[in-house]
Amino acid sequence: MTDTQSDPTSPTRSVSLLGLGDMGAAFARAWLAAGYSVTVWNRTASRADALVAEGATRAESAAHAVAANTLVVTCLLDDASVGEALESADLTGKDLVDVTTGSPAEARARAAWAQARGARFLSGGIMAVPPMVGQPEAGGYVFYSGSRELFEARREALAVPVGTRYVGADAGHAALQDVALLSAMYGAFAGITHAFALVRGEDEIALKEFAPLLTEWVVSMSGAVGQMAEQLESGDHTSGVVSNLAMQVAGIKTFVGTAHEQGVSPELLTPYFDLMRRRVESGHGTEGGTGLVDLLRSGGGSADR
Ligand code: NDP
């Protein structure tokens, strides 16, 4: 170990953390466990008590927390709470890393706001839940975008709670990829919710036995993602298609009919089916699903591109 690595008072082994909710507290514990000097602040001060007992230093205000270290991490509810918390803090010369979930536009505006106050800025999108923090084998990570210099300088500290993925200088891109992955998760959960609704209540189908089949199927179908990316990049939506849209649209009546037979609302599926139908009606029945991406990007109107 170098002196810098072993000295907890070294600027590269010290961090100020604002926000001690479930996620912020998990980040604080990971840094403490790694021997970092951690200064903490939370709007509701009592939420810091346990961490102080574990070795963190309490800051009396957000401004004091910012003053205590060069590396300042915010993990608050939303972007508005970041602005509120940092309102009276002096950010000159600070490395501000904001892992609060927000939109790409909020991240870009926050980057400009921080730079105008003399700070380097990095926006983070956390791809983990609190129990994954401090557990490298759990595979959690944070997307980071914004100042590459900040990221390189603070890489070691940022890699302590979960893994890191730097995705570019545009401060909005961490949030964009975060939201894109979470949106895919919600779409997948919508399908899983519908599948359970279909089979729930059938005496001869044990949900615990159905669950591994569902997992296996969803994982197996996710193999299409790579081919979708290739088709989108080439602009050719028809090469290598094995399940064309016209065939899939012909099957919609079976899916909606089965839902009704089971007394299940098809509401989670019908928006996707409507898109498929519109794409076929505009003459794209030989495509797979990637034409729907262009349909969505055109606002859902004309499918012709
Ligand atoms: P919590 O709801 O547990 O904590 C929210 C934190 O924000 C608390 O410290 C709260 O302070 C603080 N806060 C809220 N409003 C304000 C304000 N106006 N001024 C100052 N502080 C404020 O959330 P998490 O810790 O779980 O999440 C934090 C961030 O991490 C969020 O952006 C979330 O989207 C993101 N995230 C969370 C995940 C999770 O599974 N938990 C997963 C991935 C990302 P107080 O204690 O005073 O209320």
Side-chain angles (χ1 to χ4, degrees), residues 74-86 96 98-111 113 121 123:
T74 44
C75 185
L76 298 167
L77 186 64
D78 55 15
D79 181 65
S81 50
V82 175
E84 213 173 291
L86 294 178
L96 178 60
D98 181 20
V99 295
T100 303
T101 302
S103 74
E106 283 174 334
R108 290 179 190 121
R110 188 59 62 201
W113 177 92
F121 182 81
S123 174

Side-chain angles (χ1 to χ4, degrees), residues 20-23 42-44 47 76-77 81 84 100-101 128 130:
L20 301 174
D22 294 329
M23 188 56 89
N42 195 66
R43 180 181 61 177
T44 306
R47 248 176 144 170
L76 298 167
L77 186 64
S81 50
E84 213 173 291
T100 303
T101 302

Side-chain angles (χ1 to χ4, degrees), residues 120-173:
R120 295 194 291 195
F121 182 81
L122 203 54
S123 174
I126 304 172
M127 303 311 301
V129 291
M132 294 163 78
V133 176
Q135 310 290 330
E137 68 287 353
Y141 63 89
V142 177
F143 281 124
Y144 286 110
S145 66
S147 166
R148 179 180 280 280
E149 295 72 27
L150 191 172
F151 178 74
E152 295 299 343
R154 301 296 179 175
R155 195 177 202 146
E156 188 184 321
L158 296 177
V160 168
V162 284
T164 60
R165 290 187 188 195
Y166 180 76
V167 292
D170 182 331
H173 279 179

